[in-house]
Amino acid sequence: MAELKHPFLVNMVYAFQDRLNLYLIMDYMPGGDLRFQLGRCEKFPENIVKFFVCSILLSLEYLHQNNIIHRDLKP
């Protein structure tokens, strides 16, 4: 995960662990996730939806190019 860098993915910067826990240092995302945005706005304008769809497709394409399959996509 630390080797992947993409503007539409939450990138991992660093990871470490102690005896009980694994800690992942990830990019700070101040805008929240898509679910948060959907809860805030009941309806998005078409241009925003196009941006979200393109962002998701580009990030999935990047993952597939790096031999990673994301199995937890939700509508």
Side-chain angles (χ1 to χ4, degrees):
M1 283 177 54
E3 296 174 8
L4 300 175
K5 300 291 180 219
H6 193 273
F8 297 129
L9 294 175
V10 179
N11 299 298
M12 186 179 80
V13 178
Y14 185 71
F16 62 95
Q17 67 183 35
D18 60 19
R19 284 189 15 218
L20 300 175
N21 300 300
L22 171 65
Y23 300 91
L24 301 175
I25 310 303
M26 311 292 278
D27 287 343
Y28 175 59
M29 306 304 280
D33 62 0
L34 184 55
R35 183 185 313 208
F36 173 77
Q37 297 299 330
L38 282 170
R40 223 178 84 202
C41 306
E42 291 185 15
K43 189 175 180 182
F44 288 129
E46 184 177 343
N47 62 330
I48 300 296
V49 173
K50 286 180 182 179
F51 173 76
F52 283 142
V53 170
C54 290
S55 301
I56 292 167
L57 290 175
L58 287 171
S59 60
L60 286 173
E61 181 180 51
Y62 175 77
L63 290 174
H64 288 188
Q65 288 171 351
N66 286 279
N67 297 319
I68 298 171
I69 297 173
H70 194 294
R71 300 183 321 157
D72 194 27
L73 292 177
K74 296 172 181 68

mmCIF file of all heavy atoms in Angstrom, residues 19-34:
data_model
loop_
_atom_site.group_PDB
_atom_site.id
_atom_site.type_symbol
_atom_site.label_atom_id
_atom_site.label_comp_id
_atom_site.label_asym_id
_atom_site.label_seq_id
_atom_site.Cartn_x
_atom_site.Cartn_y
_atom_site.Cartn_z
ATOM 1 N N ARG A 19 2.909 -4.735 19.912
ATOM 2 C CA ARG A 19 2.481 -6.118 20.146
ATOM 3 C C ARG A 19 0.999 -6.332 19.904
ATOM 4 O O ARG A 19 0.576 -7.441 19.551
ATOM 5 C CB ARG A 19 2.808 -6.516 21.575
ATOM 6 C CG ARG A 19 4.267 -6.797 21.793
ATOM 7 C CD ARG A 19 4.538 -7.387 23.156
ATOM 8 N NE ARG A 19 3.312 -7.868 23.793
ATOM 9 C CZ ARG A 19 3.044 -7.757 25.079
ATOM 10 N NH1 ARG A 19 3.898 -7.200 25.892
ATOM 11 N NH2 ARG A 19 1.909 -8.218 25.576
ATOM 12 N N LEU A 20 0.189 -5.294 20.067
ATOM 13 C CA LEU A 20 -1.260 -5.460 19.982
ATOM 14 C C LEU A 20 -1.911 -4.827 18.762
ATOM 15 O O LEU A 20 -2.986 -5.252 18.354
ATOM 16 C CB LEU A 20 -1.915 -4.880 21.237
ATOM 17 C CG LEU A 20 -1.484 -5.509 22.558
ATOM 18 C CD1 LEU A 20 -2.115 -4.756 23.714
ATOM 19 C CD2 LEU A 20 -1.856 -6.979 22.584
ATOM 20 N N ASN A 21 -1.302 -3.804 18.199
ATOM 21 C CA ASN A 21 -1.982 -3.016 17.170
ATOM 22 C C ASN A 21 -1.107 -2.760 15.955
ATOM 23 O O ASN A 21 0.112 -2.702 16.064
ATOM 24 C CB ASN A 21 -2.405 -1.657 17.737
ATOM 25 C CG ASN A 21 -3.349 -1.794 18.899
ATOM 26 O OD1 ASN A 21 -4.421 -2.348 18.745
ATOM 27 N ND2 ASN A 21 -2.949 -1.316 20.059
ATOM 28 N N LEU A 22 -1.776 -2.592 14.827
ATOM 29 C CA LEU A 22 -1.130 -2.139 13.600
ATOM 30 C C LEU A 22 -1.606 -0.710 13.365
ATOM 31 O O LEU A 22 -2.806 -0.435 13.397
ATOM 32 C CB LEU A 22 -1.537 -3.019 12.415
ATOM 33 C CG LEU A 22 -1.099 -2.543 11.033
ATOM 34 C CD1 LEU A 22 0.408 -2.557 10.914
ATOM 35 C CD2 LEU A 22 -1.751 -3.387 9.956
ATOM 36 N N TYR A 23 -0.675 0.209 13.148
ATOM 37 C CA TYR A 23 -1.007 1.611 12.932
ATOM 38 C C TYR A 23 -0.698 1.978 11.486
ATOM 39 O O TYR A 23 0.390 1.683 10.986
ATOM 40 C CB TYR A 23 -0.183 2.509 13.866
ATOM 41 C CG TYR A 23 -0.426 2.223 15.318
ATOM 42 C CD1 TYR A 23 0.366 1.298 16.005
ATOM 43 C CD2 TYR A 23 -1.451 2.856 15.999
ATOM 44 C CE1 TYR A 23 0.144 1.033 17.339
ATOM 45 C CE2 TYR A 23 -1.679 2.592 17.336
ATOM 46 C CZ TYR A 23 -0.885 1.675 17.999
ATOM 47 O OH TYR A 23 -1.119 1.410 19.312
ATOM 48 N N LEU A 24 -1.669 2.597 10.818
ATOM 49 C CA LEU A 24 -1.493 3.052 9.443
ATOM 50 C C LEU A 24 -1.590 4.572 9.433
ATOM 51 O O LEU A 24 -2.600 5.130 9.869
ATOM 52 C CB LEU A 24 -2.575 2.465 8.531
ATOM 53 C CG LEU A 24 -2.659 0.940 8.460
ATOM 54 C CD1 LEU A 24 -3.848 0.525 7.614
ATOM 55 C CD2 LEU A 24 -1.376 0.359 7.915
ATOM 56 N N ILE A 25 -0.575 5.237 8.929
ATOM 57 C CA ILE A 25 -0.582 6.686 8.786
ATOM 58 C C ILE A 25 -1.016 6.972 7.349
ATOM 59 O O ILE A 25 -0.301 6.644 6.400
ATOM 60 C CB ILE A 25 0.816 7.292 9.070
ATOM 61 C CG1 ILE A 25 1.381 6.761 10.383
ATOM 62 C CG2 ILE A 25 0.748 8.800 9.028
ATOM 63 C CD1 ILE A 25 0.527 6.993 11.585
ATOM 64 N N MET A 26 -2.203 7.550 7.218
ATOM 65 C CA MET A 26 -2.803 7.778 5.912
ATOM 66 C C MET A 26 -2.876 9.273 5.609
ATOM 67 O O MET A 26 -2.753 10.105 6.511
ATOM 68 C CB MET A 26 -4.226 7.200 5.884
ATOM 69 C CG MET A 26 -4.343 5.773 6.403
ATOM 70 S SD MET A 26 -3.557 4.559 5.371
ATOM 71 C CE MET A 26 -4.795 4.304 4.155
ATOM 72 N N ASP A 27 -3.108 9.599 4.336
ATOM 73 C CA ASP A 27 -3.332 10.990 3.943
ATOM 74 C C ASP A 27 -4.512 11.560 4.720
ATOM 75 O O ASP A 27 -5.499 10.867 4.967
ATOM 76 C CB ASP A 27 -3.666 11.092 2.455
ATOM 77 C CG ASP A 27 -2.470 10.865 1.552
ATOM 78 O OD1 ASP A 27 -1.328 10.950 2.034
ATOM 79 O OD2 ASP A 27 -2.695 10.605 0.359
ATOM 80 N N TYR A 28 -4.411 12.833 5.073
ATOM 81 C CA TYR A 28 -5.524 13.526 5.714
ATOM 82 C C TYR A 28 -6.508 13.959 4.634
ATOM 83 O O TYR A 28 -6.127 14.586 3.651
ATOM 84 C CB TYR A 28 -5.003 14.737 6.485
ATOM 85 C CG TYR A 28 -6.098 15.583 7.091
ATOM 86 C CD1 TYR A 28 -6.983 15.038 8.003
ATOM 87 C CD2 TYR A 28 -6.252 16.911 6.730
ATOM 88 C CE1 TYR A 28 -7.997 15.796 8.557
ATOM 89 C CE2 TYR A 28 -7.260 17.683 7.281
ATOM 90 C CZ TYR A 28 -8.122 17.122 8.201
ATOM 91 O OH TYR A 28 -9.118 17.880 8.736
ATOM 92 N N MET A 29 -7.776 13.607 4.807
ATOM 93 C CA MET A 29 -8.814 13.936 3.833
ATOM 94 C C MET A 29 -9.856 14.828 4.511
ATOM 95 O O MET A 29 -10.831 14.323 5.075
ATOM 96 C CB MET A 29 -9.464 12.656 3.294
ATOM 97 C CG MET A 29 -8.469 11.650 2.721
ATOM 98 S SD MET A 29 -7.432 12.297 1.435
ATOM 99 C CE MET A 29 -8.497 12.216 0.054
ATOM 100 N N PRO A 30 -9.678 16.145 4.474
ATOM 101 C CA PRO A 30 -10.561 17.040 5.240
ATOM 102 C C PRO A 30 -12.000 17.089 4.734
ATOM 103 O O PRO A 30 -12.896 17.453 5.481
ATOM 104 C CB PRO A 30 -9.890 18.403 5.096
ATOM 105 C CG PRO A 30 -9.112 18.320 3.833
ATOM 106 C CD PRO A 30 -8.664 16.885 3.728
ATOM 107 N N GLY A 31 -12.269 16.694 3.505
ATOM 108 C CA GLY A 31 -13.624 16.781 2.965
ATOM 109 C C GLY A 31 -14.517 15.619 3.335
ATOM 110 O O GLY A 31 -15.710 15.639 3.090
ATOM 111 N N GLY A 32 -13.967 14.572 3.922
ATOM 112 C CA GLY A 32 -14.756 13.392 4.245
ATOM 113 C C GLY A 32 -14.897 12.464 3.054
ATOM 114 O O GLY A 32 -14.391 12.731 1.970
ATOM 115 N N ASP A 33 -15.610 11.384 3.260
ATOM 116 C CA ASP A 33 -15.793 10.418 2.179
ATOM 117 C C ASP A 33 -17.095 10.695 1.431
ATOM 118 O O ASP A 33 -17.855 11.603 1.771
ATOM 119 C CB ASP A 33 -15.751 8.985 2.717
ATOM 120 C CG ASP A 33 -16.862 8.687 3.709
ATOM 121 O OD1 ASP A 33 -17.672 9.595 3.996
ATOM 122 O OD2 ASP A 33 -16.927 7.547 4.188
ATOM 123 N N LEU A 34 -17.355 9.902 0.417
ATOM 124 C CA LEU A 34 -18.537 10.108 -0.425
ATOM 125 C C LEU A 34 -19.829 9.925 0.367
ATOM 126 O O LEU A 34 -20.792 10.658 0.176
ATOM 127 C CB LEU A 34 -18.492 9.162 -1.626
ATOM 128 C CG LEU A 34 -19.598 9.318 -2.662
ATOM 129 C CD1 LEU A 34 -19.667 10.739 -3.189
ATOM 130 C CD2 LEU A 34 -19.380 8.334 -3.798
#
